[in-house]
Amino acid sequence: MNKSFYVTTPIYYVNDRPHIGHAYSTVAADVLARYARLRGRPTRFLTGTDEHGQKIEDRAKELGKDPQAFVDEMSPPFRQAFEELDCSFDDYIRTTEPRHERKVADLWKILEARGDIYLGSYEGWYAVADEAYITELEYRDMSDEEKAKRKVERKQEESYFFRLSKYTQPLLDFYEKNPTFVQPEGRFNEVKAFVREGLQDLSISRTSFRWGIPVPGNDAHVIYVWLDALTNYISALGGPAAPGESELFDRFWAPNAEVVHIVGKDILRFHAVYWPAFLLSAGIAPPTQIWAHGWLTINGEKMSKRSGNFIPPGPLVEAFGADVLRYYLMREVGFGQDGDFAHRNLLARYNGELANGLGNLLNRMVRSIVRRSFGGLVPTPANREPEDEALIAAAQKAAQESARHLDAIAPHRSLDAVWELVAAANRYVDQTAPWALAKEGKTERLGQVAYTVLESLRWLSVLIAPFMPAKSVALRAQLGLGPLEPEEGRDAWPAAWGELTPGTPTAPGEPLFPRIDAKQEKALLARLGVGTAGAAAPGAPAKKSKQKSTNEPPKEGTIPFDRFLDVELKVGLILAAEAVPKSDKLVKLSVDLGEPGPRQILAGIRPHYAPEALVGQRVVVVANLAPRKIMGLTSEGMVLAASDTEHGLSVLSLDKAIAPGTRVS
Ligand code: MSP
């Protein structure tokens, strides 16, 4: 599909500082934009800030600032936060820019010329926090606490109205003709049910404050902030505009383009009801799709400044890098559903999926096998065996599935598909045992195995690019490839196997995702102000939570959780085992702990196991024990086992193919 693609985020209120919820909307839009560019589609990505309205005027007043000076100070941190998150927006709109203000006035005049605006008077309950009137029913259902929080006040004012009631049926017809206009589907049903009740005319001007765009011809009124804000999606393209008047508008607005607005579920009604009604009135095509994502809680709790868990993205980017944060945001929560941002889960996914999964695959191949056996050059593939074909099929499946899910705006599913390939490739390395092939001098087979993994890694470098653009560049560099350079009209999504050229010099570099050990983990969490239980920051009021007990002094005979974390238990895959000469007890093991090379571990298990029976087993290893010398040999870890007189000794092993190096906890 080569239709132009235009993706937008909500524009953010500048009375707040950027936080992880804002990052979530913008990163999602960026993933879609980067993906569309890779597919060769003409793409445009817009974000920005929403700077008018009573809320902003009030906040500026509180601080004793002029509103313009206030918004000029508050908007750049959003832009900076999104730049730090490597978001590739093509334009950043601020609603106080003249290019926007002019277009809002133009749209007003069009709606007026259509006969859809009239002057009336309005009395009702106004929620300042939402910049919206609420219905009598909503008011009655609201608790006092909620009323105070949303700053609900009685208001009467002369107001211009938009004939929204006239658009009840046209909207229902439009929904009918565009069955995927709102996603997820459940949310669309809510929207339709709301419209079916019948719409009331909408108050679209205010006289009770000044901070807004004046109504053309009557500057006692300012234009309602939502009419102002929604227009950003077209004003940034130079619209409303007649055909031929604005190249951007012609190219990137519907129906010439696929237009997707990414929004949070809380602002769906504005986008799915008011916005298409304004556009239908103006004779402009509505957007193609409104995608409403869920809300994030932080370590299980609602994000708020009061509870001390207001999470700005900056320190997380500093701690993990933008790509890791982007990956986590897109991986953890089903897009469209509510979810939780938990620092501990981020760390677990980092070590498990990134360091042990993708990072380890690259390390094992480029730093170890290719460097040692092929002088660092991409080897020449040889005859394919069934296991090679199986990995190639897995790569093809991952490319197709991850694309299908991104086309359907399901980034979490896309990552599931990509990580199936990561797991398949790691399993393939375990199965084909390249170290053994090297030892046995089976160079041709080893070349085929290494090539199959390297080419899988090349595919992965494209599949991860929308999510982790910088890691894609770093991964490609290690494979001896330059960064992807998307071009309009050229589809760069992997489809043909075998494009990696034999003889290309690889460039083993720093690990893509250096493992974070227990000590670093503790330090990181402390730096981010997260307690050991994964809950909120120090200084936050004590909460009644199930994790509370972990913060109490340990009872005699028990240890605090972090002492347990000091012991690094990891999954080890036994690659080779042989009896130690002159010892009845000792077996020398070569164990893959997800590191560049295997470790040598000595275990006193000879009377209980034939060495060859141990090869291929996944065992639990104490990975951070200081090395010890036993019978002149160094042991770099300990394999856990239990014994009793009845059964003898039993080595602890795993019943699933968990990746070597995965933390055991
Ligand atoms: N200014 C309006 C949008 C106008 S669009 C024409 C606005 N701004 S906002 O700053 O309050 O919110 C912007 C977006 O951030 C919304 O989509 C909202 O859903 C999202 N989020 C705010 N907190 C969030 C979470 N805790 N989790 C996920 N997204 C959240 O509304």
Side-chain angles (χ1 to χ4, degrees), residues 10 43 50 97 107 109 135 149 161 195 227 287 306 347 352 388 473 497 553 587:
T43 302
D50 190 352
E97 288 175 79
L107 180 63
K109 284 185 240 162
T135 62
K149 207 167 112 215
F161 284 82
V195 176
L227 173 53
R306 252 187 315 151
L347 281 157
D388 312 338
V473 175
W497 184 262
V587 178

Side-chain angles (χ1 to χ4, degrees), residues 413-526:
R413 292 228 172 86
S414 176
L415 284 174
D416 281 347
V418 178
W419 254 257
E420 273 183 28
L421 173 57
V422 171
N426 271 313
R427 270 196 312 271
Y428 171 85
V429 175
D430 295 347
Q431 271 168 13
T432 51
W435 290 280
L437 293 173
K439 218 168 171 184
E440 292 156 19
K442 295 184 176 157
T443 314
E444 199 178 293
R445 177 71 193 135
L446 180 61
Q448 167 61 18
V449 166
Y451 185 86
T452 310
V453 176
L454 292 174
E455 177 66 357
S456 301
L457 281 163
R458 184 183 72 81
W459 280 45
L460 284 164
S461 76
V462 187
L463 306 187
I464 65 165
F467 300 91
M468 295 189 282
K471 295 294 179 188
S472 161
V473 175
L475 168 53
R476 293 177 68 82
Q478 297 213 20
L479 298 174
L481 301 170
L484 291 163
E485 275 161 11
E487 244 175 66
E488 272 181 28
R490 189 176 60 87
D491 186 355
W493 209 245
W497 184 262
E499 285 181 2
L500 190 61
T501 316
T504 307
T506 63
E510 292 294 302
L512 209 52
F513 301 101
R515 221 174 302 276
I516 297 178
D517 65 22
K519 228 165 128 193
Q520 290 166 316
E521 185 170 320
K522 258 201 312 194
L524 265 175
L525 290 176

Side-chain angles (χ1 to χ4, degrees), residues 9-16 19-22 24-25 50 55 78 226 229-233 262-267 271 293-297 303:
T9 72
I11 47 171
Y12 301 97
Y13 284 133
V14 289
N15 59 334
D16 216 343
H19 60 60
I20 206 75
H22 305 136
Y24 186 61
S25 295
D50 190 352
K55 219 165 31 172
F78 280 88
W226 271 101
L230 288 161
T231 308
N232 91 89
Y233 300 129
I262 301 291
V263 301
K265 62 179 185 179
D266 53 316
I267 55 174
H271 285 82
H293 65 67
W295 267 50
L296 297 179
T297 49
M303 179 162 39

Side-chain angles (χ1 to χ4, degrees), residues 66-106:
D66 163 65
Q68 187 63 53
F70 174 65
V71 300
D72 285 346
E73 188 185 304
M74 297 296 283
S75 176
F78 280 88
R79 186 179 184 130
Q80 195 192 336
F82 301 145
E83 277 167 359
E84 280 170 12
L85 281 161
D86 219 353
C87 290
S88 60
F89 46 89
D90 299 287
D91 194 359
Y92 183 89
I93 189 140
R94 299 183 50 190
T95 55
T96 52
E97 288 175 79
R99 64 164 172 158
H100 172 76
E101 297 188 340
R102 265 197 313 272
K103 288 295 172 184
V104 173
D106 285 354

Side-chain angles (χ1 to χ4, degrees), residues 17-38:
R17 292 274 169 189
H19 60 60
I20 206 75
H22 305 136
Y24 186 61
S25 295
T26 312
V27 165
D30 187 57
V31 167
L32 299 178
R34 286 181 182 275
Y35 168 68
R37 288 190 201 108
L38 280 172

